[in-house]
Amino acid sequence: MATPAQAQEAISFVRALVGGRSEEAAQAIRLLYGGSVKAENAGEILAQADVDGALVGGASLDPEGLARIVAAAE
């Protein structure tokens, strides 16, 4: 599982790659973090400057946890 800082670093890298072709596209694209997003870390991950959202896998099977992830995203 990546730390929030590592998630930011990876997504920032992807945004920079897109920016190498088009700065406008780099700002318009929505980049999602697809690591282990859980209710306990969603707020920190989603607070990163370049993280625009998350792909939630197994954590979505827990309704209460998923509700906490959604609340963190709002």
Side-chain angles (χ1 to χ4, degrees), residues 15-42:
R15 193 174 305 279
L17 286 176
V18 174
R21 295 195 173 247
S22 167
E23 189 57 39
E24 183 179 326
Q27 296 307 313
I29 194 170
R30 297 294 159 240
L31 296 171
L32 307 179
Y33 175 70
S36 295
V37 177
K38 299 178 177 139
E40 296 77 26
N41 66 6

Side-chain angles (χ1 to χ4, degrees), residues 8-71:
Q8 167 60 28
E9 181 180 355
I11 292 196
S12 174
F13 175 77
V14 172
R15 193 174 305 279
L17 286 176
V18 174
R21 295 195 173 247
S22 167
E23 189 57 39
E24 183 179 326
Q27 296 307 313
I29 194 170
R30 297 294 159 240
L31 296 171
L32 307 179
Y33 175 70
S36 295
V37 177
K38 299 178 177 139
E40 296 77 26
N41 66 6
E44 287 183 284
I45 290 171
L46 294 169
Q48 300 303 305
D50 285 302
V51 176
D52 297 316
L55 297 172
V56 181
S60 67
L61 299 175
D62 171 23
E64 291 177 15
L66 180 58
R68 290 174 47 206
I69 293 169
V70 170

